[in-house]
Amino acid sequence: MASKSIYRVIFHNQGKVYEVYARSVGDGGILGFVQIEELIFGEHTQVVVDPSEEKLKSEFAGVKRSYIPMHSIIRVDEVEQEGHAKISDVQGGNVTPFPVSMYGPGRGGSGKDD
């Protein structure tokens, strides 16, 4: 029996970098968004609990699927096994990339040659 794929999705959200693990990643039919489903959080059998993973677990509690803006995605990897979901600070100083629209005049926005 083939095992289900596991994906590591890393994205920007409100000035932080989120790293989550999911069983399904796709376009979801909404232009400009990446859909993630079936988020995976580690089962804790130890006394030590990672607070950032617990924060993610509570933030995504009850979420069936989530749509992440495509320009927020840093990376999506198919991995052998899940790791620890976490939230970390953005590395690289105080420069924030300017949000850029992928669709504009002449790039498939309205179907006309603008």
Side-chain angles (χ1 to χ4, degrees):
M1 182 174 153
S3 63
K4 286 184 93 175
S5 296
I6 297 174
Y7 299 94
R8 176 177 51 212
V9 182
I10 304 171
F11 61 95
H12 290 281
N13 184 31
Q14 298 177 350
K16 302 282 185 183
V17 175
Y18 283 51
E19 181 176 320
V20 296
Y21 291 82
R23 295 211 184 272
S24 176
V25 175
D27 65 4
I30 299 177
L31 189 63
F33 287 83
V34 173
Q35 172 185 301
I36 59 174
E37 290 184 273
E38 298 181 56
L39 293 172
I40 303 168
F41 296 102
E43 297 299 319
H44 297 290
T45 57
Q46 304 173 11
V47 176
V48 180
V49 177
D50 182 4
S52 67
E53 185 172 22
E54 288 300 311
K55 183 175 191 271
L56 276 170
K57 196 172 185 178
S58 66
E59 183 174 336
F60 287 100
V63 174
K64 182 177 177 181
R65 88 182 39 98
S66 187
Y67 296 91
I68 311 297
M70 195 174 291
H71 65 271
S72 295
I73 299 289
I74 298 171
R75 175 180 188 146
V76 177
D77 297 316
E78 185 173 5
V79 295
E80 297 280 328
Q81 61 185 8
E82 77 232 34
H84 296 288
K86 60 186 172 186
I87 301 172
S88 55
D89 291 325
V90 175
Q91 300 294 320
N94 59 0
V95 177
T96 302
F98 188 75
V100 178
S101 174
M102 295 183 341
Y103 306 100
R107 295 188 189 155
S110 64
K112 301 178 198 173
D113 291 334
D114 293 341

